[in-house]
Amino acid sequence: MRSSLAPGIWFFRAFSRDSWFQGFILLLTFLIYTCYHMSRKPISIVKSRLHQNCSEQIKPINDTHSLNDTMWCSWAPFDKDNYKELLGAVDNAFLVAYAIGMFISGVFGERLPLRYYLSAGMLLSGLFTSLFGLGYFWNIHVLWYFVVIQVCNGLVQTTGWPSVVTCVGNWFGKGKRGLIMGIWNSHTSVGNILGSLIAGIWVNGQWGLSFVVPGIITATMGVITFLFLIEREWVPCSSQTPPGEPAENQDNPEDPGNSPYSIRESSLETVAKCSKEPCEEPAAISFFGALRIPGVVEFSLCLLFAKLVSYTFLYWLPLYIFNVAHFSAKEAGDLSTLFDAGGIIGGIMAGLISDYTNGRATTCCVMLILAAPMMFLYNHIGQDGITSSIVMLIICGGLVNGPYALITTAVSADLGTHKSLKGNAKALSTVTAIIDGTGSIGAALGPLLAGLISPTGWNNVFYMLISADILACLLLCRLVYKEILAWKVSLSRGSGYKEI
């Protein structure tokens, strides 16, 4: 049947089909990780509701609290003066479990079907998110319940990131990976925004619904993932080259056998052979083998400090706005979404610039350098008026989340398909887990330090964030130097960019 079609028409139909599949996978994985982040956000919105100024509230009739009780409207055990430390403990129960689980998750992600792995993870994430909110309806006032739920949720949420990055990496080559993943990575900010808006609907009333509703949405998305996720583009067994990458036998563009149509012809012949002979799967890379890939250690440590800054904003920004600018809990939550809106812009810009310059490390370093003074300015003049607050939040969000987004997506995918691996795409999930797992240690440290430092003043919290930002820059110095040398060689020879 195929021979009756003109070669150009046949190739166009095949290309169109592949493009549709790529677009579908991009959209599905976008929605998947949007749900993961949406289910993490409500705790930061509800914090100001768990401990608030009860003198501004109308005390209900037949209330059992004494007349002198100023904390009657707060939720025990967060109604005491040490509430910041307790809230920090709840945050870190999730983040420490997430950081530990991430190193293990990548190993499982290499060896288990991603569709089953992701689906189970989303169903369990939805369950534990809902259980946290059900503590309101079940009238639970013991700290261990919320801590245990957060630990379980942190562990099951590690199924998400290595799996979706591996999926996207399987479907897209390096050509425009920075831009594509920069746009795709906006799911983080979109999820945070949706989580904030959904949680804000019920935060001043039945705050348990701020968790139950995102939990139900996440679990529903898990069912959709099970039904529709396609893990990878089918690649003939004679080639392990990722889609969009030039194969070894395609080095000579003058060779007529390397035309798009001829490639399709040879692929069909290979299919026929593969249908008769079993394909040999490449071995999954070891943990220490992944660490030896050039750039993995530097980017992992850089992400540790970059994610420390990002997650401190994620978990404490609404409470900071609530305390410093004196907005209501809902208004503070809504205003904090501007930081995530800036993160969308920053992620796309970081991907676009790094694609154009072929400098992932340099792009991250420049944005981190600019982020430090912007955070200082936001703390000192960001609350002077609503206009300055909006502008500074968007700028800080872009500069803080841009490098974080680039490292966790395009950089992870680049290193997971590094030339030293000789086409073995099995490393992608492990490399992604190592980089994001190391970053998650910073994500756990940031909110913990913020909880310990904030009683001494918010200025000290921002000094801590600026210091972490500077350390993230310093860790990329070697890679930035190599990229600059590569640019010089490229300019002098007029040749392409040499990969790190």
Side-chain angles (χ1 to χ4, degrees), residues 123-140:
L123 288 170
L124 290 172
S125 295
L127 171 65
F128 290 119
T129 302
S130 298
L131 284 174
F132 194 102
L134 288 174
Y136 170 84
F137 298 101
W138 295 341
N139 206 28
I140 295 175

Side-chain angles (χ1 to χ4, degrees), residues 161 165 174 176-189 299-300 302-303 306-307 310 343-368 397-416 431-432 435-436 476 479-480 483 487:
W161 191 241
V165 171
K174 290 185 181 178
K176 295 293 181 182
R177 183 176 278 168
L179 176 60
I180 290 171
M181 286 195 158
I183 298 171
W184 173 77
N185 192 65
S186 62
H187 53 51
T188 299
S189 298
F299 275 116
S300 296
C302 173
L303 185 63
K307 207 166 180 179
S310 180
I344 296 175
I345 300 170
I348 295 172
M349 291 301 297
L352 185 62
I353 293 169
S354 68
D355 276 344
Y356 180 76
T357 61
N358 289 313
R360 308 284 199 217
T362 306
T363 302
C364 291
C365 195
V366 170
M367 295 185 80
L368 288 168
L399 294 174
V400 168
N401 286 335
Y404 160 42
L406 185 63
I407 294 172
T408 54
T409 54
V411 169
S412 296
D414 288 350
L415 295 175
V431 169
T432 302
I435 292 175
D436 200 52
L476 291 180
L479 297 181
V480 171
E483 286 181 351
W487 288 336

Side-chain angles (χ1 to χ4, degrees), residues 294-481:
V296 167
V297 173
E298 288 95 333
F299 275 116
S300 296
L301 293 175
C302 173
L303 185 63
L304 186 151
F305 292 103
K307 207 166 180 179
L308 183 153
V309 178
S310 180
Y311 266 65
T312 303
F313 275 100
L314 173 68
Y315 280 91
W316 287 92
L317 181 59
L319 187 62
Y320 169 76
I321 296 172
F322 177 79
N323 287 339
V324 176
H326 305 293
F327 286 103
S328 69
K330 185 180 186 307
E331 290 170 341
D334 291 344
L335 192 61
S336 70
T337 62
L338 294 171
F339 182 84
D340 296 301
I344 296 175
I345 300 170
I348 295 172
M349 291 301 297
L352 185 62
I353 293 169
S354 68
D355 276 344
Y356 180 76
T357 61
N358 289 313
R360 308 284 199 217
T362 306
T363 302
C364 291
C365 195
V366 170
M367 295 185 80
L368 288 168
I369 290 171
L370 294 174
M374 286 301 168
M375 286 190 288
F376 179 84
L377 289 174
Y378 172 66
N379 182 44
H380 283 82
I381 67 171
Q383 309 303 329
D384 290 349
I386 188 66
T387 302
S388 62
S389 183
I390 290 173
V391 172
M392 293 300 295
L393 276 172
I394 293 174
I395 294 174
C396 287
L399 294 174
V400 168
N401 286 335
Y404 160 42
L406 185 63
I407 294 172
T408 54
T409 54
V411 169
S412 296
D414 288 350
L415 295 175
T417 55
H418 194 269
K419 62 183 180 182
S420 64
L421 298 170
K422 299 178 181 179
N424 182 4
K426 281 279 188 177
L428 187 52
S429 183
T430 300
V431 169
T432 302
I434 289 173
I435 292 175
D436 200 52
T438 306
S440 297
I441 296 174
L445 285 174
L448 174 63
L449 292 173
L452 295 174
I453 296 173
S454 58
T456 67
W458 286 105
N459 287 342
N460 294 329
V461 174
F462 275 86
Y463 293 146
M464 179 268 290
L465 296 178
I466 292 169
S467 300
D469 189 83
I470 293 170
L471 286 172
C473 289
L474 295 176
L475 287 164
L476 291 180
C477 286
R478 187 187 73 86
L479 297 181
V480 171
Y481 177 70

